[in-house]
Amino acid sequence: MGKCRFVLSFVAASMLAGTAFAQECREDRISLRGEFGSASFRIEVADDAQERAQGLMNVAEMDRFEGMLFVYERPQQVAFWMRNTLIPLDMIFADAQGVVRKVHSNAIPHDETPIPGAPDTKYVLEINGGLAETLGIAPGTEMRHPAIAEAAWACRGA
């Protein structure tokens, strides 16, 4: 049953990703591609200190392919915690080119232990806990979004 569920999840992600390839980049979507294939998520962007501090605190649930993209002004060492966060999250840390450098799976709700990112993190994508592993998102995966100015996988026309 577990293998069947994985295959169905992968097929659903691939179908969603197929539409991502056909669409131009949008502020409310992020696409990822890697050895696993591709996936697309509807997101909110947190690109200032106040939005990043609030993050996904007090969010009771997210749809399967939703998340939040944290954008920093420059690459830096970052650390996240789960204070007032109600749902488990995967944290996907990427460099200035949008290339994933580290994935932290299933961060524990309410845990205040710092979760460090990779050195020179500029983007962090938070998605539902366990989904990165299910889809195969790992270091080397590339992100595409209008906020990623120096992207390894650039938006069309960028």
Side-chain angles (χ1 to χ4, degrees):
M1 184 68 161
K3 187 174 182 178
C4 181
R5 189 174 304 146
F6 170 77
V7 170
L8 289 174
S9 295
F10 182 77
V11 169
S14 296
M15 288 171 53
L16 285 172
T19 61
F21 286 112
Q23 297 174 352
E24 294 298 319
C25 289
R26 297 180 0 200
E27 285 293 322
D28 68 340
R29 296 208 70 79
I30 189 165
S31 299
L32 290 87
R33 72 177 181 186
E35 291 183 14
F36 66 94
S38 57
S40 178
F41 296 86
R42 187 174 65 222
I43 58 164
E44 291 185 37
V45 175
D47 59 2
D48 67 35
Q50 183 176 351
E51 290 171 338
R52 288 189 299 263
Q54 177 64 37
L56 291 171
M57 286 186 192
N58 302 309
V59 172
E61 63 181 42
M62 283 192 310
D63 286 344
R64 184 167 172 83
F65 287 95
E66 284 186 339
M68 179 170 277
L69 178 64
F70 295 78
V71 178
Y72 292 88
E73 291 79 19
R74 59 180 173 66
Q76 58 192 285
Q77 181 66 49
V78 300
F80 281 55
W81 62 5
M82 296 289 285
R83 175 184 287 167
N84 298 323
T85 306
L86 308 175
I87 57 176
L89 296 171
D90 287 349
M91 298 174 187
I92 303 167
F93 299 91
D95 63 16
Q97 289 74 42
V99 178
V100 174
R101 297 297 174 209
K102 178 180 178 182
V103 176
H104 179 89
S105 297
N106 281 307
I108 301 166
H110 304 289
D111 187 357
E112 294 189 17
T113 305
I115 300 167
D120 294 325
T121 294
K122 187 165 182 187
Y123 307 98
V124 181
L125 176 62
E126 289 185 339
I127 59 175
N128 285 296
L131 193 52
E133 183 178 351
T134 298
L135 295 175
I137 298 168
T141 297
E142 297 173 337
M143 296 179 175
R144 182 174 70 174
H145 184 270
I148 306 173
E150 305 169 30
W153 181 28
C155 291
R156 286 184 230 167

